[in-house]
Amino acid sequence: MIINDKEFGEVIVRRSPLARGVKFSISTSGRLAMSVPKHTSDFLAKRFLNSNRKMIREKLPIKDPNEQRARDYQKKILMKKAREYLPYRLEYHAKLYGYNYSKCRLTHANTRWGSCSSNRTISLNIGLMKVPEPLRDYVILHELAHLNHMDHSKAFWAEVASHDKNYRSHEKKLKMFNPGI
C-alpha cells in the first residue's frame, strides 16, 4: 500500500507476517517505508505515521517528495531506453563471440552494473544508459565471459581481454559512474 502524505510524499507500507510492531526506514528509492504487522488496517497505518512524525523527522533522512518524483521519472526514461538498446546489444555481442545465454533481465540495482546467474540469465543495470558506449560494451562482455567462467580467475580475465583489449581502462572509467539512479 502507498500512503500519499503532504510532508513525506509517497510512504510505502509493507505488511509482514513477521512484524510485531511498526518500523520506519528509508527504501532504496529514498521514500519513507513502514513495516507493519500483516493485519494492520490502513487507518491504523496512517495513525502510526501521524503519531510518529517528529521521530521520523529527527531520525530518518527523508528526501524531498519532488526528488522522489524526479527519480521515478528518470528511472522510467532509462528503463525505456534500456529496453530499446541493451537486449539487442547483448544479442549482438553474444552472436559475434559465440555465447549462448538463456535470457536478459534489466534491473536498477544500486551497486551492480550487471550479473550472470548459473542458469545463464544475464542481468544488466538500466543505469548503463548513462555511461559511454564502450563502457556498456565492457559490462556486456564481462557478463558474457561469466557464462564460461563464473569467477574472476585468470582464465576469466583472459577471455574478457580477448574481446576487449582495453578492459582495464574501461573498468577504471566505469568506477567514475554510479549504477544507482
Side-chain angles (χ1 to χ4, degrees):
M1 173 177 96
I2 302 280
I3 297 173
N4 285 307
D5 185 81
K6 288 179 182 176
E7 182 179 0
F8 301 127
E10 291 180 349
V11 179
I12 302 165
V13 179
R14 295 188 191 110
R15 289 185 168 82
S16 169
L18 301 175
R20 292 179 177 224
V22 178
K23 180 183 172 200
F24 293 97
S25 61
I26 302 299
S27 72
T28 55
S29 67
R31 290 177 174 75
L32 178 62
M34 192 175 160
S35 294
V36 297
K38 187 177 182 178
H39 300 291
T40 303
S41 69
D42 293 355
F43 173 80
L44 272 178
K46 289 176 186 174
R47 193 165 149 193
F48 284 122
L49 176 65
N50 287 327
S51 64
N52 287 289
R53 284 183 184 282
K54 185 178 178 189
M55 182 276 300
I56 294 167
R57 269 186 238 111
E58 291 171 357
K59 297 195 177 193
L60 295 174
I62 305 292
K63 291 185 178 175
D64 181 349
N66 292 326
E67 257 184 63
Q68 294 172 3
R69 282 189 284 280
R71 184 181 180 276
D72 288 346
Y73 181 72
Q74 182 185 23
K75 192 162 76 174
K76 189 176 179 179
I77 288 182
L78 284 174
M79 182 59 87
K80 184 177 187 294
K81 287 179 179 178
R83 273 194 201 114
E84 294 169 357
Y85 179 85
L86 291 174
Y88 302 103
R89 195 68 180 167
L90 176 63
E91 185 66 22
Y92 168 78
H93 283 295
K95 283 183 179 172
L96 182 65
Y97 296 112
Y99 289 102
N100 292 308
Y101 60 94
S102 63
K103 70 178 180 179
C104 174
R105 220 174 113 234
L106 299 177
T107 68
H108 49 90
N110 284 327
T111 58
R112 290 176 185 235
W113 290 111
S115 65
C116 177
S117 71
S118 57
N119 68 355
R120 304 183 75 77
T121 296
I122 293 186
S123 298
L124 297 171
N125 191 318
I126 64 174
L128 284 168
M129 299 311 295
K130 299 185 298 182
V131 304
E133 189 172 39
L135 302 183
R136 283 183 222 153
D137 285 347
Y138 160 71
V139 171
I140 289 170
L141 293 169
H142 180 110
E143 298 313 328
L144 286 170
H146 276 307
L147 292 170
N148 294 335
H149 308 277
M150 291 302 283
D151 55 14
H152 289 115
S153 63
K154 285 183 180 182
F156 166 82
W157 289 112
E159 189 164 330
V160 172
S162 72
H163 305 316
D164 180 2
K165 302 290 181 218
N166 298 319
Y167 80 92
R168 284 190 179 105
S169 166
H170 292 151
E171 189 177 28
K172 281 181 186 173
K173 288 177 183 171
L174 195 60
K175 289 181 181 185
M176 294 172 15
F177 296 92
N178 182 349
I181 297 157

